[in-house]
Amino acid sequence: MHTKYIFVTGGVVSSLGKGIISSSLACLLKARGFRVTIQKFDPYINIDPGTLNPYEHGECYVTEDGHEADLDLGHYERFTNVHTSRANNVTSGRIFQSVIEKERRGDYLGKTVQIVPHITDEIKRCVKFLGNTGEYDFIITEIGGTIGDIESLPFLEAVRQLRWEMGQNCLCVHLTYVPFIAAAKELKTKPTQHSVKALQELGIQPDVLVLRTEKEIPDDMRRKIALFCNVSPDSVVQSQDVNSIYKVPLRMHAQNLDEIVLRKMGVPFEGEPHMQPWFDFIDKMDSASETVSIGLVGKYVELQDAYKSISEALFHAATYAGRKLELVYIHSEKLTPDNADEKLGAMDGIIIAPGFGQRGIEGKFVALKWCREHDVPTFGICLGMQCMVIEFARDVLGLEDANSTEMNPHTPHNVIDLMEEQKNISNLGGTMRLGAFDCRLRPGSKAAEAYGTDLVRERHRHRFEFNDSYRARFEEAGMICSGENPGTHLVEVVEMPSKRWFVGTQYHPEYSSTVLSPSPIFAAFINAAIAYRNETHKPTNG
Ligand code: GLN
């Protein structure tokens, strides 16, 4: 089969869920046996989101091959169970950088280098890159931003050209918003009409419209939109708000989105997509009545996208354990020894979040001391694990000013220190220890028990590490290094065997948790939290 290209654009407003629609379509096509990948093209100038503050762009997702990526790639992986890579996330910055490098090398042979054709050709090359590997039947490309943005114009021009060149092998899905005006008690189609018109002015006729809406869109309104937008009525699909993003693939299938796409692209198909495991997951989610309460201690509590992969991984684990997840965000800057009981006391388990820099760090130590002393299941991730080490050094080993050299370069006890290979790096972008590395787990440890194996591979994003010269003192005092990289011996996991479940990972297991393949270590943490809840006889219905 010739590789098929599907573009997903968005209009009217941002945050309509293009990533979820792209992921849902990919999920359905994959469940029909097709090989699918999704890529995100972002119009901003940053080379990648790695240097972006979470306030700007939410979580930075990390791929297996060590790319710092848009958080939508997390959704792609969670919905499709297919790994993404550097090639799945391209920004204007990357496109411009590569065109400018070619210009400097003289590749353009004296020509004037322009947006069209040079930038658009580079965009087209990147769009087709994964398709040319022959590994996929469908390449779904989500174009970031909203129709009408100045910066997305070159991408839309590239889509227009590809549509023209590829004919039936190319299809455009446009996601818009149908607002409900409460005062008039009416849904309004005008913004959709304008947005499609703007797309048509750029030479792109959408094949399928997905309408994001709060309320059910009546059939006659759908037909009206179809008529005004030159789209066949059966290709106007609604995406009504649901209580879980994981229901969207089923909603899309109920309106035949997968069949519409296949038919329009001339791809033969029969029967139904194999969605049984997905249905089972949704059933578990809907039938869970008992709760598990997890407190997440971090500094970005007002911005929950900053911890997207963690909250999803917790949700996967809780759902498989038959529980409703109650996730409470606890502001690390506001946590003190005086209010720790009140803020942490009702939790069945505590996560200490990843992060960078000093802000909020003292609250993480408060939480860790409290968790250690109350023996509550605790999971530290990346900076959270480093904080576990620092707090233990200060409070148990008696090394009063122990710290990470990230927070205090002159600490007398640098229990967390800059990795050797990081010492001569000055550029911030893409220079951390990034991507998946092997980790050997100590047999019998909580970590090995969680995974059911002693060799795992998880993703990383850090510059600092456990200082090996302190290892013996930690182990003697009851915090063991239960996971290390087999080649470099970097410490990857620490834990306290004397506690119910007190584990920290230098790596980020949340990045690899998907609906159909949830993270084993998140599952172990949630199970420990449930056991603790049962043991302490808390009421089980929240
Ligand atoms: N700031 C720490 C480091 O660079 C931890 C990073 C993180 O939590 N992702 O090592």
Side-chain angles (χ1 to χ4, degrees), residues 15 82 136 189 198 260 289 303 319 329 336 351 374 404 464 540:
S15 303
V82 174
Y136 302 102
T189 67
I260 294 166
S289 55
L303 179 87
T319 303
Y329 293 88
T336 63
I351 293 241
H374 290 77
S404 163
F464 295 81
T540 50

Side-chain angles (χ1 to χ4, degrees), residues 354-356 381-383 386 406 461-464 508:
F356 294 84
I381 300 177
C382 205
L383 180 63
Q386 297 176 354
E406 179 182 2
R461 183 176 187 241
H462 66 121
R463 293 185 201 282
F464 295 81
H508 293 258

Side-chain angles (χ1 to χ4, degrees), residues 114-125:
Q114 298 182 293
I115 300 286
V116 184
H118 303 101
I119 294 292
T120 45
D121 279 354
E122 181 62 17
I123 295 173
K124 285 158 70 180
R125 190 186 69 76

